[in-house]
Amino acid sequence: MSVGTAEYQTRIWKTKERMALKGIEVLLITDPANMNYLSGYDGWSFYVHQMLIVINDEDQPIWVGRTMDANAAKITTWLYHDNIISYPDTYVQSETKHPMDFVADILKQIGQDKRRIGVEMENYYFTAKCYEQLKKGLPNATFQDATLLVNWVRIVKSDQEIEYMKKAAVLAELAMNAGIEMINEGVRECDVAAKILYAQVTGTEEFGGDYPAIMPLMPSGEKTSTPHLTWTDTRYKANESVILELAGCYKRYHSPLARTIHIGSPSEELKKLAQVTVEGIEDCLSIIKPGIALEEVCETWTKSIAKYGYTKESRIGYSMGLNYPPDWGEHTASIRKGDRTILQPNMTFHMIPGMWYDKSGFEVSESFRITENGCETFANLPRGLYVKNEALIR
């Protein structure tokens, strides 16, 4: 089952409510996740400039993009074809023309050039050049920052979105199990990555997977001291750990998951770190429910690990769901000190209290949704340290 027109219309209505609160009359959306959320547009075209224009007194948004991508908009969105406007290829990566010049001309033609215009300033896909060209082309408009306006609408998921994330969790379990099974002494990192990617995309007989917003992160040995490394063609060694952080992705909705594997007999230090981290995440999951603030979850984590003499400065989680490269996070609420976001049913988070030190680390994570009276994790895999071939100790 796909998202229906009624749900898209509800999302547009909620977005316009937020626009009104901020005094925005025209919203220019360049984040591909927000474009997808409001229109359904789905294509690997975000390497060129594209946009969704939401106007406060118009029923449908307007999609603007490259001519060769216009048919993708017709195929994937709920928009009338008249609301799909494309610019010619002479605007693509040109030194003399810019797609925002085209956008400015469109806004002039439809009488929107003297209004209060919101733009997503803090956005991978909206450049300084975009902003400068819009201001140059629309001198009578008033611009303001609309970063995360749509993202905050997205933070509470519909039941349909939750179903997508549950399917993504099945894919995450398949991929994680495939990686854990293959990791061993002498096996190349790249071969494990290939098996993980295969599982992520192949999925089940009932449904397949999409490409995730982040490639599998899989540091090993001393590299487990840092989280955001992918793979090389080196071979795993005995008596070293491997961290796997990956996600299942279904219809652009993610369910991230992290686990740690050790080849050979783990040290007492690593076993203790694993026990403390797992206990900490379980303490957090036990207190999560609607009505509490996110910082209360972080306080529970801090107290749990402090009993064993551990501390951690970085956040331990964030809101996530629908997204495109390079991130599956929504960039809104974080599980950290000072975040007073109040939990509501169908908010979804990735809690990943990774512990990284100079030459080693341990990760375990859970993606979960807030229920009516608590929370439930999307995946169902053991959280402890996975040990392979303990006889390998040398």
Side-chain angles (χ1 to χ4, degrees):
M1 182 177 177
S2 299
V3 175
T5 300
E7 183 159 335
Y8 285 121
Q9 290 172 333
T10 298
R11 296 172 182 182
I12 292 288
W13 175 74
K14 290 179 178 178
T15 298
K16 288 181 178 179
E17 275 194 325
R18 285 188 172 268
M19 289 169 60
L21 289 172
K22 293 181 176 293
I24 295 171
E25 298 171 305
V26 179
L27 178 62
L28 307 184
I29 297 167
T30 51
D31 183 327
N34 292 338
M35 292 177 65
N36 178 293
Y37 183 73
L38 295 178
S39 74
Y41 183 76
D42 185 20
W44 193 288
S45 52
F46 43 82
Y47 68 95
V48 295
H49 294 295
Q50 55 187 20
M51 177 178 288
L52 196 70
I53 303 172
V54 177
I55 302 170
N56 64 351
D57 49 8
E58 295 289 340
D59 291 337
Q60 281 201 7
I62 298 169
W63 180 92
V64 179
R66 192 179 184 182
T67 297
M68 66 175 64
D69 297 316
N71 279 346
K74 293 175 183 178
I75 291 168
T76 61
T77 75
W78 64 283
L79 306 179
Y80 296 135
H81 289 185
D82 288 346
N83 283 43
I84 296 170
I85 302 173
S86 62
Y87 58 80
D89 236 52
T90 52
Y91 283 86
V92 176
Q93 297 164 4
S94 166
E95 293 183 357
T96 58
K97 293 183 176 182
H98 195 278
M100 293 306 117
D101 301 335
F102 183 88
V103 169
D105 288 340
I106 292 296
L107 291 174
K108 288 177 186 174
Q109 291 171 25
I110 61 176
Q112 303 295 325
D113 57 314
K114 298 177 182 178
R115 307 194 79 185
R116 294 185 63 85
I117 299 176
V119 292
E120 297 174 312
M121 299 283 285
E122 179 73 353
N123 183 343
Y124 303 121
Y125 313 89
F126 186 75
T127 65
K129 182 73 170 178
C130 287
Y131 189 47
E132 289 300 315
Q133 292 306 115
L134 283 173
K135 289 196 298 182
K136 180 180 176 182
L138 299 168
N140 297 315
T142 302
F143 288 93
Q144 68 183 79
D145 188 2
T147 300
L148 302 182
L149 187 150
V150 180
N151 302 59
W152 280 105
V153 177
R154 288 165 45 196
I155 195 169
V156 176
K157 310 299 185 291
S158 68
D159 290 342
Q160 183 64 70
E161 291 178 288
I162 296 298
E163 288 304 310
Y164 288 166
M165 295 179 76
K166 287 181 177 179
K167 287 185 175 180
V170 173
L171 301 171
E173 288 182 13
L174 289 172
M176 183 63 73
N177 282 326
I180 292 171
E181 180 182 4
M182 190 172 182
I183 287 172
N184 224 319
E185 182 183 15
V187 176
R188 296 191 305 173
E189 293 179 358
C190 55
D191 292 329
V192 174
K195 191 161 186 180
I196 289 171
L197 291 165
Y198 180 84
Q200 286 174 314
V201 176
T202 302
T204 72
E205 290 186 2
E206 291 74 30
F207 58 90
D210 208 340
Y211 61 89
I214 301 176
M215 286 289 102
L217 304 173
M218 40 196 300
S220 62
E222 288 191 0
K223 292 182 290 186
T224 58
S225 62
T226 185
H228 300 135
L229 298 177
T230 54
W231 60 84
T232 70
D233 61 356
T234 58
R235 298 181 184 274
Y236 294 115
K237 300 180 179 66
N239 302 313
E240 72 176 12
S241 295
V242 183
I243 290 174
L244 295 182
E245 182 185 351
L246 50 84
C249 182
Y250 182 76
K251 292 187 182 295
R252 305 305 325 139
Y253 284 84
H254 294 78
S255 181
L257 192 64
R259 293 292 186 268
T260 302
I261 303 94
H262 189 81
I263 304 169
S265 294
S267 66
E268 291 303 314
E269 180 183 10
L270 179 58
K271 287 192 286 187
K272 181 183 178 184
L273 182 61
Q275 179 262 319
V276 170
T277 308
V278 171
E279 182 177 320
I281 198 172
E282 290 177 350
D283 286 347
C284 290
L285 290 169
S286 71
I287 64 101
I288 292 173
K289 62 182 179 181
I292 71 169
L294 274 179
E295 69 174 1
E296 295 178 59
V297 182
C298 187
E299 288 168 3
T300 297
W301 161 260
T302 300
K303 290 176 182 177
S304 181
I305 65 171
K307 294 182 298 186
Y308 303 97
Y310 290 89
T311 60
K312 177 178 169 64
E313 292 184 6
S314 59
R315 66 179 184 174
I316 64 166
Y318 45 83
S319 178
M320 58 82 209
L322 165 68
N323 227 326
Y324 288 80
D327 188 18
W328 52 53
E330 291 178 331
H331 300 182
T332 49
S334 291
I335 307 174
R336 63 182 166 197
K337 184 179 179 181
D339 194 315
R340 295 292 301 166
T341 302
I342 302 300
L343 296 181
Q344 301 175 48
N346 276 8
M347 285 184 172
T348 57
F349 295 89
H350 182 213
M351 181 158 54
I352 179 164
M355 301 289 279
W356 304 287
Y357 297 94
D358 286 344
K359 294 187 177 182
S360 64
F362 178 86
E363 281 186 36
V364 60
S365 82
E366 294 290 355
S367 293
F368 63 92
R369 78 174 181 104
I370 310 302
T371 62
E372 292 298 327
N373 52 17
C375 74
E376 66 176 7
T377 59
F378 284 111
N380 183 25
L381 285 180
R383 298 185 182 117
L385 179 67
Y386 287 75
V387 178
K388 301 291 293 285
N389 291 351
E390 195 156 3
L392 285 171
I393 187 167
R394 294 169 184 173

